[in-house]
Amino acid sequence: MTGRPDEDSAIPRPYDGETAWAQQLLGQLRPAGRDPRRLVAWLARTTRARVCLLDAHGHLLAGERLPLDAAVVADIAGGRLSAAALEDGEGHARLVGIRHQGPAPAPGAVLAAARPAAFDRHTAEILNHTAGALELVLRERELTEAAGRLRRATADLRLAILQLLMVEDTVSARRVAAGLWPGLLEDDTARVYVVESAAAERDRLADACLDVTEGGALVVRCPAMDGHVIVLGPSAEVEERLRSLVVGRPGTFLGGSPRQRLALTATAYGQAVSALAVARFRPDRAAIYAERTRPAQLMHPDALRAWSAQVLRPLDTLAHHVRAELLATTRLGLEFTAVSTAKVLGVSRNTVRARMDRLAALLDADLSALTVRAVAQMALNTEAAHGPCDPGGTAPRRPAAAQLADLLRTSALRSWAERLLGRLDTDGRDLRGTLRAWLAADAHAERAAEALGVHAQTVREHVRAAEPVLERRLTAGGTDLYEVVLAHLVTGELTLPALGPANRDQPDRPVHR
C-alpha cells in the first residue's frame, strides 16, 4: 500500500500540535461543509492515508475503493465488531464502525483508512473522531432525506384528497384527511383559490401558502398547471391571509370561488381559474369569481331539474360510484382540456376520453358539437347543484320533463340573451355575425372563415375582440363560452341540439356517428 501525497501543505498536520486537527475537524462540520466526501478527503490529507467510506452493503459512499477483507467489513457494518486493525506485510489498515442511529437496529457504515506506516495514537484518534463526525453528518443526511420523503408523501396525500373531492367522493376525502388534518373538511362548504406565480417559484409559493394558512386549508401543487397552487379553505380567514401573501409577492396572482358545497369542488375550481384571469388586470392582483346572473337562474327551477333528470336518466342503471365518476370527469372535461382534466384527476388522457365517450354514448350525445356540450354542461351542473330529481319516481308530484325549447322560452331569459349579445351591435366590424358563424362551426376559425368568405385570422381577431365586450372568455372554452352559446340558442341564432327530451321525436333529428 502507498500513502496519498500531501495535497494541501497549508493544512497543519496533527504532529504540529495537539489540537490543530480537532479545530480543522470542527470546521468541516460547519453548515456549508457537511459533506461526507469533504470529510473523507480531509481525513486522507491529514493522515496521509487512502480513505474510503462504505455503506452497510459495502457500496462506496466517498473516497477510493480499498482492497479490504469483505468478511471484516461485514462484521463491522453489522455491529459484531466496533473496529479492526489489519496488516498484510505491505501496509496497515484501520476500520471503524459508524453506528446507525434509528428506532430499529440496522447495519451501519464503515470508515476505512490504509497507509504504509502503522497508525500511531494521533492518527488513530483522528480516525475515531472523524468517524464520530461522519456519524452526525450521515444522520443529518438521513433525517433530511426522510423529511423530504415525508413532505412528498404529505403532498401526494393532499393531492389525493383534492382528487377525491373533484369526483364528489367527499366521504373518502374526509376519511383520508381526518388522520393528518382533523376538522379540515368538517364543514359541508368551502372556497377554492388558485394562486399563480412563475413555475420556478411554485414550490416556495406552496410552502408560503402552507405557512400563512397554518393548517386551516388544503394546499396542493396543481398537477395541471406548473405555476398554480390550489388552496381549499372552509374559513373566510383563509382568503384574508392569501390576499396578504399576494400583496407581498410581486408577480403573484389570486383567484377565488364563492362558497360551494364540497361536492362542487370541481365547479369551484373552474370558478377560481376564471377569477384568476381577472386578477391579472387588478391592481391588488386578486379577484373572486363574480356571481353574475346565470342562464339557469332564469329558467323554471322544477322544469330545469326535471329536464336534467330526463337527460341523465340513461345513467341511472349504472352503479353509483361509476355514475358519479362519469359525471365528475365529464364536468371537468367540458370545462378544461382532456390533458388538464387528466392531470387534475390523476388519471391518463385516454381514461378521461374513455369516460366522456361512455357518457356520450349513454346519452346519445355528440360532445364534439359545441351546442351539445353547452346543453350537456347545463344538465350536469343542475344535478351537481341540486341533486338528482327523484330518479325513482317516488314523489307524489313528480314534474313532467320539459323540452329544451320550453326551458329557453322564458321572457327573462330572452331579455338576458338579447342584452348580452346586443353589446356587440355597436362595433362596426360585425363582431356578432363573426361570433355566430364561429360558434356554428364549433369554434373552428377556418370553417367559420370559409362560411363568411374572410381570412381565418380575421375570425380569430373578431372573437378576441368580442371577449372584453361580453366580459367572458371565449377562446379558452368552458362556462363563459357555453353561456354565450346558450344566449344564441335563446335568440334562435343557433339551432337547438338533440339532447334530452327536446327534438327526439322530430324526423330531422341528426344521427350521431
Side-chain angles (χ1 to χ4, degrees):
M1 301 180 192
T2 59
R4 179 186 292 271
D6 186 4
E7 296 180 3
D8 190 352
S9 59
I11 298 179
R13 301 296 166 210
Y15 314 108
D16 296 338
E18 292 293 328
T19 61
W21 66 268
Q23 293 172 355
Q24 296 168 33
L25 179 58
L26 288 175
Q28 297 296 322
L29 296 179
R30 293 190 180 98
R34 294 174 189 165
D35 185 343
R37 292 170 297 182
R38 292 186 59 175
L39 264 171
V40 167
W42 171 84
L43 179 63
R45 294 194 302 268
T46 303
T47 60
R48 297 183 181 182
R50 299 165 62 200
V51 181
C52 73
L53 177 65
L54 306 174
D55 68 9
H57 306 288
H59 300 142
L60 186 67
L61 296 178
E64 58 180 297
R65 176 70 66 179
L66 299 178
L68 302 171
D69 189 315
V72 176
V73 172
D75 285 342
I76 294 177
R80 291 178 289 276
L81 294 175
S82 61
L86 305 175
E87 181 181 357
D88 62 2
E90 297 181 1
H92 301 264
R94 283 188 71 90
L95 294 82
V96 180
I98 299 175
R99 300 275 62 82
H100 172 86
Q101 300 295 330
V110 177
L111 178 64
R115 67 182 201 169
F119 287 84
D120 56 20
R121 179 180 62 82
H122 287 288
T123 52
E125 187 177 8
I126 294 172
L127 185 64
N128 290 333
H129 280 82
T130 303
L134 281 167
E135 180 180 321
L136 296 175
V137 171
L138 292 175
R139 178 59 176 162
E140 181 187 45
R141 172 180 287 186
E142 179 182 311
L143 291 174
T144 300
E145 291 175 351
R149 289 193 297 271
L150 180 60
R151 283 194 299 271
R152 289 191 294 273
T154 304
D156 290 343
L157 190 58
R158 285 194 290 263
L159 175 59
I161 294 170
L162 178 67
Q163 289 170 340
L164 287 170
L165 292 174
M166 287 286 191
V167 295
E168 302 180 26
D169 193 351
T170 57
V171 174
S172 297
R174 282 179 168 133
R175 286 175 179 169
V176 175
L180 289 178
W181 303 284
L184 177 61
L185 301 179
E186 278 185 355
D187 292 347
D188 290 329
T189 61
R191 294 177 174 89
V192 174
Y193 304 92
V194 177
V195 192
E196 181 184 60
S197 68
E201 295 293 320
R202 202 260 293 270
D203 287 345
R204 284 186 285 271
L205 177 62
D207 290 340
C209 290
L210 283 168
D211 290 341
V212 299
T213 55
E214 297 179 346
L218 184 70
V219 179
V220 179
R221 291 166 175 81
C222 179
M225 300 297 293
D226 292 339
H228 288 186
V229 175
I230 303 171
V231 181
L232 184 146
S235 158
E237 186 180 3
V238 170
E239 180 180 328
E240 298 173 7
R241 296 188 175 192
L242 291 177
R243 282 182 178 272
S244 65
L245 174 67
V246 168
V247 168
R249 297 176 72 95
T252 305
F253 306 92
L254 172 67
S257 76
R259 184 172 290 277
Q260 296 279 15
R261 292 188 297 111
L262 289 179
L264 293 179
T265 297
T267 299
Y269 170 63
Q271 292 172 339
V273 172
S274 295
L276 186 64
V278 177
R280 297 189 185 101
F281 303 98
R282 292 279 183 86
D284 59 354
R285 291 176 277 119
I288 301 300
Y289 187 77
E291 281 290 6
R292 62 193 177 209
T293 300
R294 301 295 173 189
Q297 295 172 322
L298 303 176
M299 301 177 193
H300 191 283
D302 291 339
L304 176 60
R305 292 187 63 191
W307 171 82
S308 175
Q310 177 69 25
V311 169
L312 302 180
R313 183 158 297 151
L315 306 180
D316 293 344
T317 58
L318 301 175
H320 174 74
H321 71 281
V322 175
R323 185 181 193 275
E325 187 176 70
L326 293 182
L327 290 175
T329 302
T330 304
R331 272 205 307 276
L332 276 176
L334 292 175
E335 191 71 32
F336 304 102
T337 65
V339 174
S340 295
T341 300
K343 290 179 179 178
V344 169
L345 294 179
V347 298
S348 70
R349 287 178 296 176
N350 290 338
T351 298
V352 170
R353 294 190 176 106
R355 290 177 184 174
M356 294 184 68
D357 287 345
R358 184 180 181 188
L359 181 138
L362 288 169
L363 301 186
D364 191 20
D366 179 12
L367 291 181
S368 66
L370 186 55
T371 54
V372 175
R373 291 169 69 90
V375 174
Q377 193 215 37
M378 184 170 69
L380 296 176
N381 286 347
T382 298
E383 178 172 301
H386 303 288
C389 180
D390 186 34
T394 58
R397 293 185 179 178
R398 184 182 179 193
Q403 289 194 348
L404 179 60
D406 298 327
L407 288 176
L408 304 182
R409 196 176 288 157
T410 68
S411 57
L413 196 58
R414 179 84 184 190
S415 297
W416 166 83
E418 289 177 348
R419 284 197 306 270
L420 177 65
L421 300 181
R423 302 177 191 176
L424 300 171
D425 293 337
T426 58
D427 194 291
R429 293 172 291 180
D430 191 20
L431 298 184
R432 185 166 180 171
T434 303
L435 179 60
R436 180 171 59 250
W438 182 72
L439 296 177
D442 294 325
H444 287 280
E446 289 77 8
R447 283 163 46 190
E450 184 178 352
L452 293 171
V454 298
H455 196 278
Q457 186 59 29
T458 301
V459 173
R460 296 188 186 97
E461 290 175 356
H462 284 195
V463 172
R464 283 195 293 267
E467 290 183 318
V469 178
L470 298 176
E471 297 179 345
R472 283 162 174 81
R473 298 183 309 159
L474 302 176
T475 55
T479 298
D480 283 358
L481 175 61
Y482 299 147
E483 285 190 358
V484 175
V485 171
L486 287 175
H488 282 81
L489 292 175
V490 170
T491 60
E493 295 174 74
L494 289 178
T495 304
L496 290 178
L499 182 68
N503 300 334
R504 288 197 170 179
D505 297 328
Q506 293 183 7
D508 59 343
R509 176 174 173 263
V511 177
H512 302 144
R513 294 182 174 86

